[in-house]
Structure formats: C-alpha cells, structure tokens
Amino acid sequence: MSLFEKFNRYDEMRSYFEERGTMPFGAVTERSLSSTEAIVNGHRVILAGTNNYLGLNFEPEAIAAAQGAIEESGTGTTGSRMANGTFADHLMLEKDLAEFFGTKGAILFSTGYSATMGMSATLAGPGEVTLLDADSHASIYDGVRLSGAEIIRFRHNDPADLEKRLRRLGQRAEKTLIIVEGIYSMLGDFAPLEEIASLKRKYGAYLMVDEAHSLGVMGDNGRGAVAEAGVEDDTDFIVGTFSKSLASIGGYCVSNHPELELVRYAARSYIYTASASPSVIASTRVALKLMRQRPELREQLWKNAHRLHSQLAELGLQIESHVSPVVAVKLENTETAVRWWEDLFQKGVFVNLVIPPASPSTYSLLRCSVSAAHSTEQIQRITDAFSTLKE
Amino acid sequence: MFMNIAYDEVLTTTVSIVSRLVKADIELSADTDLLADVGMTSLQVMELVLEIEEEFDISFPLNRLPDIQTIKDLAQEIAASLDQ
C-alpha cells in the first residue's frame, strides 16, 4: 500500500502509449510554423485540435503590444490583484470587456479555468443550489464541489429535465444558479439558451453561461452564444477564456449585477493567485480589438467548419448532425480511436484524442477544431487523412 | 405518487434499477457495495443517479454521493428525499 497506488491506472495508460511509441496526451510542440502548422513530436502536422478558432496567435500587432508591455512593465506582476498585482492595464482590459459585452462590470482571472471554477465556487454557497448541465466542463464541476452549495445535475441540453428540477426546488429556485455552456467543448453542440433563459425567468433563478468556446465564434461581433440567442438580459453572468479565440491566456466574468465587484473579495481563485502578466493583457486587448474589426475571420471559420463537417460526413464517419467549429468523430472502440489518432498523426494531422472517462459517455472521440486560418487545401488534407483510416 | 412509499419498496426498486444498469454476476441485495461488489464506473454511477431521479421524481444532489457505498445507503437517501 502506498500513497501512489491510486495512480497505477494512469501509469498503465502511460505505459500503454509508451509501448506503442506514441504520445497523444501532452504531445510536444517543438516549433510553431504558423497558426495552423507545427512540428509536433518530431512530425510536421496540420494543427486540427487547438481551439485557435480565429488564428490570432501570430498577429504582428498583438506580438508588438506584448513585447512593448514586457519592456515597459516587466515579465510578470509578481502578485495577486488584491496585493500588488493590479496594473492599469488590467483595469483597461476589464473596461474593454464591459464595453464589448455591454455590461456594467467585468473582472479578470489569470486563467479560464480559474474564472469558471472561481465563479462556480463563489456564487452559490451553503444552503443554496447549483443546477448544472451534466456535460459541464471539469472547471465547473471542480468549482461547485468547493462551493458548499447543493449540486444537482440536469440532463445535457434538456430544458424539460432542467424544469423538472427547478419545479422540485420550489422556493429554493430563487437561490439557485443554473450553469450551462454556449458551445460544449467535446461535441461542439450548443446550449438551447432561449429555453433555458425562459426557465430561469419563470422560476426566478440565476443563469451563468460559459462562453469559452463561443466567444469570437458566435453572435454579433463574436460576443458569443448569449448574444446570438438574444438572451443578454436573462444572463446574469458570462464567463470565458482568452485562450481560444483570443490566443492568449486568462479568463473573465462580466455581469450587470453591481455585486460582481464584491466577488473580487470572495473568489479565492481571484485572490490567491498572481495576476496575468502585462504581455498577456496587452496581446489580449489587441486580439479583442481585432476580433471586432475583422468579422471576416468568423465568416471564414464557419465556412471551414461547414467544409470539414460535410467532407467528414461524406466519408460516413460518425459525427454530430450540427455544424460547429468543433467536429468530433465518435468511435465505440478505444483501441480503434488510438490507432486512428496515430495514423492521422503519421499522415500529418494533429487532432485531440479523447477517451473515457474524459469523453461524455462510453465512446472515444477524435476531436477536430477548425480555425479561420485553415486554408481550403489544409481542410482537404485533414479529410484525406481521415479517408484512409480503416476499422 | 411516492410520498408515503415504504422503505422496502424503495429498496426493491433501487435493486431493480441497479441490476438493469450493470451486468453483475452476483445476486444484488441491500448490502451489495456498488463499487467493490458491482464495480460500477463513474459513468454508471451518474446514469444510476439520473435513473433514480426519474423513477422517484426527486433531485439527488451530487454532494451526497461520497456517503453512499451500498444499495441500502442509496435507498435510505432516496427514502429521506421522499420524506422531505
């Protein structure tokens, strides 16, 4: 018996991949060649699993801003927002975000994880209730576990099931936080936000929407799924990340509730961690501006998403019927999924391998994410690589 | 509909739901351990919770899961929820 016995299953998995001479988890990007190509684990590959939806990670203006911020303010803040780590640039990005979303307030977190986890842990507390979609991201599950609130799941994207649970809560629904995601990361499916917002209103609950995968992807100016569904007034809190469409790192929460300012004193993932470095803030501000200025990026992203979706569907692969920048190929057999991931990699295509329990059910996924920066030829090469795979 | 349901009935229904979800080689009883005896995976446990919620028209908070080892523990929690 040892403290590490419980890690044996991870060791087994690691050994399994080592014996195969492959490394799908923690693959090493040795050199980035562009937004869509890199040398990974010694192979030149098309990046089709990076969440780099708008391809903004090599924008000269963002790079110059980050370089300037380093020269002016140094490499790091060396402290928490509550101590010495609030720089003028943090406040400016918060102002940018509030203005972009049209909300009264915004607060920054150092990562998307700490934003979602921190808000999930802080908003509903002991004696209150959190109702979360069953397919919520790990950061939401981690947060609600810390919250002390009663945690109730509802069936994924099922407003009727959500309503049942709200009804059972009776008066307690008024002290209940509903948490959903704009786009779910594994299958790229969309929350039925209009119906959820209507239920939130009917039962007097609160609603938080995680826009990690929908910022820059949906809605007017890329404001996300909430904006696209027109439910801004019913959405109490929007959380999200800078690490996908904005190609940096960090997270945020925006809200019209003036109490959001008080969350700064209550959210432990805000208080007890160093604030984002000045270069990160600088590049994020530029990326946010570019996202608004270049709607053509979003148009191209969706064109690419439609192209990859239809091409993979034509191959007869098991994919979802909806079109989304996340295109996930489902496989019942994990061994096949691993072998296919390896074959794709050898053919120069990097996708994400997702196996249970990380996948939403018992199946495995080869999860592709499309970028506005992918060329038609690259999308074709991704499809060609899939076309050669055999059961 | 389940307001005054007897604990024994809850137990019988719970055993039936568990047996539907897992293909156990052993005969299930109140003392059957869901992990050690039946080997339920985390996904199966989540499915079990959803099935139970559907069957008894209750919401079963995830916070209570760590306290549940046996089918009896689960049935008692369900009965307590029905009494509320």
Side-chain angles (χ1 to χ4, degrees):
Chain A
M1 291 287 281
S2 97
L3 197 61
F4 306 115
E5 203 170 336
K6 59 184 170 294
F7 300 143
N8 286 350
R9 62 193 172 121
Y10 304 123
D11 197 34
E12 281 167 23
M13 183 187 68
R14 198 182 57 164
S15 302
Y16 168 78
F17 285 113
E18 267 177 8
E19 278 167 25
R20 298 179 72 100
T22 187
M23 202 203 302
F25 305 126
V28 180
T29 300
E30 290 149 17
R31 193 153 59 93
S32 293
L33 304 172
S34 69
S35 295
T36 54
E37 293 201 30
I39 307 292
V40 177
N41 292 353
H43 290 258
R44 182 174 180 137
V45 290
I46 297 172
L47 299 168
T50 59
N51 308 313
N52 188 5
Y53 297 122
L54 301 181
L56 290 175
N57 55 329
F58 280 102
E59 279 299 316
E61 189 183 346
I63 291 170
Q67 286 169 336
I70 285 182
E71 281 166 18
E72 198 173 302
S73 307
T75 51
T77 67
T78 74
S80 158
R81 289 290 302 273
M82 297 302 273
N84 61 298
T86 294
F87 286 23
D89 288 350
H90 293 108
L91 300 184
M92 285 195 275
L93 179 52
E94 285 174 347
K95 198 173 157 210
D96 291 348
L97 286 166
E99 190 262 324
F100 175 63
F101 283 102
T103 55
K104 288 181 181 151
I107 63 175
L108 299 184
F109 290 82
S110 299
T111 65
Y113 174 90
S114 59
T116 319
M117 188 274 283
M119 294 305 294
S120 303
T122 307
L123 287 171
E128 295 157 350
V129 182
T130 299
L131 266 172
L132 73 161
D133 184 284
D135 283 6
S136 290
H137 188 259
S139 57
I140 295 170
Y141 274 100
D142 291 353
V144 297
R145 280 199 190 100
L146 289 172
S147 71
E150 197 168 289
I151 309 160
I152 298 172
R153 299 191 328 159
F154 62 93
R155 287 184 190 271
H156 176 54
N157 274 353
D158 187 339
D161 194 53
L162 171 62
E163 174 153 31
K164 261 190 224 167
R165 289 152 205 282
L166 283 164
R167 177 180 47 75
R168 286 174 194 146
L169 286 169
Q171 283 292 105
R172 296 180 73 206
E174 291 172 14
K175 284 194 167 187
T176 293
L177 175 70
I178 302 164
I179 306 180
V180 298
E181 300 178 28
I183 294 181
Y184 286 86
S185 61
M186 288 293 124
L187 300 176
D189 47 343
F190 314 95
L193 284 177
E194 283 178 57
E195 290 160 276
I196 289 169
S198 158
L199 290 172
K200 170 258 166 166
R201 214 167 39 240
K202 179 176 173 185
Y203 289 90
Y206 293 82
L207 175 61
M208 181 167 93
V209 180
D210 179 3
E211 298 263 28
H213 289 267
S214 35
L215 174 73
V217 170
M218 298 174 75
D220 191 26
N221 277 333
R223 275 188 299 130
V226 168
E228 181 144 325
V231 294
E232 292 102 322
D233 291 345
D234 288 316
T235 304
D236 297 276
F237 304 94
I238 292 174
V239 287
T241 179
F242 304 138
S243 61
K244 296 176 171 62
S245 284
L246 300 182
S248 68
I249 187 164
Y252 61 89
C253 178
V254 296
S255 175
N256 278 322
H257 289 286
E259 292 84 356
L260 182 67
E261 276 303 306
L262 303 177
V263 168
R264 294 185 198 271
Y265 302 91
R268 296 168 71 83
S269 68
Y270 176 86
I271 302 166
Y272 297 104
T273 193
S275 60
S277 61
S279 57
V280 163
I281 298 295
S283 79
T284 305
R285 291 191 70 202
V286 172
L288 184 63
K289 185 188 77 173
L290 295 176
M291 185 177 88
R292 301 174 74 172
Q293 285 177 345
R294 296 191 199 163
E296 65 273 18
L297 290 176
R298 202 161 46 261
E299 286 163 22
Q300 187 60 46
L301 169 69
W302 281 100
K303 274 185 197 163
N304 287 347
H306 277 275
R307 186 170 286 128
L308 184 64
H309 185 273
S310 66
Q311 291 180 176
L312 294 188
E314 274 173 31
L315 293 178
L317 295 166
Q318 196 186 345
I319 58 174
E320 297 286 298
S321 56
H322 60 259
V323 176
S324 163
V326 174
V327 187
V329 176
K330 282 186 185 174
L331 291 156
E332 299 298 334
N333 186 301
T334 303
E335 289 271 346
T336 307
V338 171
R339 189 161 45 75
W340 279 23
W341 184 90
E342 291 166 349
D343 287 351
L344 287 170
F345 187 72
Q346 290 298 328
K347 290 178 170 69
V349 174
F350 176 84
V351 300
N352 304 125
L353 172 66
V354 186
I355 59 176
S359 54
S361 187
T362 53
Y363 50 76
S364 295
L365 298 173
L366 291 172
R367 179 185 171 278
C368 308
S369 57
V370 178
S371 172
H374 281 130
S375 65
T376 306
E377 188 253 338
Q378 285 174 323
I379 299 284
Q380 187 60 51
R381 277 164 59 197
I382 296 166
T383 307
D384 290 345
F386 269 100
S387 73
T388 62
L389 301 172
K390 292 186 175 63
E391 287 282 350
Chain B
M1 147 183 196
F2 288 102
M3 287 305 282
N4 297 309
I5 191 167
Y7 166 74
D8 285 351
E9 281 181 58
V10 173
L11 182 62
T12 306
T13 309
T14 307
V15 167
S16 148
I17 293 171
V18 174
S19 66
R20 206 164 59 225
L21 284 174
V22 295
K23 292 181 179 70
D25 296 331
I26 57 165
E27 192 172 332
L28 301 178
S29 71
D31 294 326
T32 301
D33 189 302
L34 293 168
L35 295 181
D37 298 334
V38 186
M40 288 190 88
T41 64
S42 55
L43 278 173
Q44 285 174 321
V45 169
M46 289 304 171
E47 192 53 39
L48 173 62
V49 169
L50 287 171
E51 293 269 335
I52 279 171
E53 289 175 323
E54 199 69 40
E55 179 70 32
F56 294 100
D57 194 25
I58 58 169
S59 291
F60 193 92
L62 295 190
N63 322 50
R64 295 196 198 140
L65 278 181
D67 299 329
I68 290 163
Q69 284 198 336
T70 63
I71 290 179
K72 183 180 167 187
D73 296 336
L74 184 56
Q76 284 175 340
E77 280 288 346
I78 297 165
S81 291
L82 291 169
D83 280 344
Q84 279 175 7

